[in-house]
Amino acid sequence: LSSDQAPLPVVTVPLLNDNYGYLIICPKEKICAAVDPVEPKKILAAAKKEGVAITHILTTHSHWDHAGGNKELIQSLKDQGKSVVVVGGANDGIPGVTKEVKEGDEFKIGSTVSVKVLDTPCHTPGHVCFYCTKADGKEKSGWGGGCVFTGDTMFVGGCGNFNSGSPEQMYSNFMKLGKLPEDTLVYCGHEYTLKNLAYACYADPENAELKERVKWAEARRKAGLPTVPSTIKDEWETNPFLRVGTETIQKYAKTTDGAKAIKFVRADKDAWGRRR
């Protein structure tokens, strides 16, 4: 599933029950990076269909449903006589990692794709997001923001579990992602959108943009299509975890402190989910 509106060629590959892997393609050299390729056979088939070779594996975090295919994919490529650079966050224990990265690190996929690393610890200690732009800085007309691959930190309309991390960390992560250009395309790790937006409507019931967003997401899923990519602008308008600075969410959470508000919203969503 290619995104024809993307400033960079991105192919979305549905994996497992509700995961997404991605191919970020450099058309000039006909190579690509595979993001969170938990099912290597599907990833390899998608790369073959696009006529590109996988030269990089970008792993957002160490959980098995994101990193669990790394070693098999490495071996499959090795059997074809090909090597691959395996990128992951420092100290996250990424299987097969050859290039550990941290905040601000930059590298390229071929000559046309620039990748900047954003540290987003919380869901796992070394979780990272990958912010990708065209290497020449000249985006496709109308799309200046590039793409960000957010793993299990930011979802469409939602937020990953904090696990061993803190509310302060996740709040910082969301503010960091929220500072990206508003037309940045957001590619997350799971298809959780309908449930996320259902909770968002519960927490933010007067939000007109949110009501339209629900209709859009329902139509996409009914047609068997993914709800990725979103945009940073969409998330500012509809994601209660990013909207913790708004009067509506602060009133609902009974605090003006961003970290305390995101902690409340996370716990409230969990409780809401158990009641359903």
Side-chain angles (χ1 to χ4, degrees):
L1 297 167
S2 296
S3 175
D4 56 8
Q5 66 175 357
L8 296 167
V10 174
V11 175
T12 300
V13 187
L15 303 171
L16 303 177
N17 292 325
D18 55 31
N19 279 68
Y20 287 128
Y22 302 98
L23 301 181
I24 311 167
I25 296 174
C26 173
K28 189 174 180 181
E29 284 93 346
K30 296 190 182 307
I31 61 175
C32 72
V35 181
D36 291 350
V38 64
E39 290 191 273
K41 288 182 177 65
K42 290 183 181 179
I43 292 290
L44 287 165
K48 184 177 181 180
K49 182 179 178 183
E50 297 294 326
V52 294
I54 298 170
T55 59
H56 292 70
I57 296 172
L58 308 187
T59 314
T60 60
H61 65 292
S62 58
H63 287 167
W64 76 269
D65 60 326
H66 295 261
N70 282 11
K71 290 188 175 179
E72 182 185 331
L73 183 53
I74 293 164
Q75 187 61 50
S76 294
L77 293 169
K78 186 177 180 181
D79 291 344
Q80 299 173 29
K82 300 172 183 176
S83 61
V84 62
V85 179
V86 183
V87 184
N91 304 313
D92 212 44
I94 302 299
V97 68
T98 62
K99 183 181 178 69
E100 287 198 330
V101 292
K102 61 185 185 305
E103 176 75 24
D105 284 352
E106 296 187 39
F107 57 95
K108 288 185 178 181
I109 311 298
S111 61
T112 59
V113 182
S114 289
V115 184
K116 185 174 183 178
V117 178
L118 306 176
D119 277 346
T120 50
C122 186
H123 188 71
T124 63
H127 194 297
V128 294
C129 296
F130 298 103
Y131 176 51
C132 303
T133 55
K134 283 191 176 176
D136 60 10
K138 297 174 183 176
E139 300 295 347
K140 184 175 177 180
S141 178
W143 291 93
C147 311
V148 64
F149 297 84
T150 58
D152 284 4
T153 293
M154 178 184 284
F155 295 123
V156 180
C159 172
N161 291 319
F162 296 2
N163 295 329
S164 59
S166 69
E168 289 77 14
Q169 284 180 316
M170 194 60 87
Y171 176 68
S172 174
N173 294 340
F174 266 62
M175 293 304 101
K176 184 184 294 186
L177 292 167
K179 287 177 183 175
L180 295 175
E182 67 175 14
D183 57 357
T184 301
L185 298 179
V186 179
Y187 292 91
C188 62
H190 290 271
E191 183 57 65
Y192 291 161
T193 304
L194 289 178
K195 188 173 182 181
N196 286 342
L197 295 181
Y199 169 74
C201 289
Y202 172 79
D204 196 2
E206 302 304 315
N207 186 331
E209 287 90 355
L210 186 51
K211 291 179 174 64
E212 290 302 311
R213 189 78 169 144
V214 170
K215 292 178 186 176
W216 169 84
E218 287 175 344
R220 294 284 294 182
R221 296 309 292 154
K222 188 174 181 179
L225 297 171
T227 58
V228 292
S230 177
T231 68
I232 291 296
K233 182 176 186 289
D234 293 330
E235 297 310 306
W236 274 115
E237 290 176 347
T238 59
N239 189 324
F241 294 90
L242 191 57
R243 289 170 56 77
V244 291
T246 65
E247 184 178 353
T248 304
I249 299 299
Q250 288 182 349
K251 186 176 180 180
Y252 182 65
K254 297 182 174 59
T255 179
T256 58
D257 181 282
K260 289 179 180 177
I262 207 167
K263 179 181 180 181
F264 174 88
V265 174
R266 177 69 269 174
D268 189 63
K269 183 175 187 292
D270 291 342
W272 170 87
R274 288 191 293 268
R275 293 193 298 270
R276 281 169 66 85

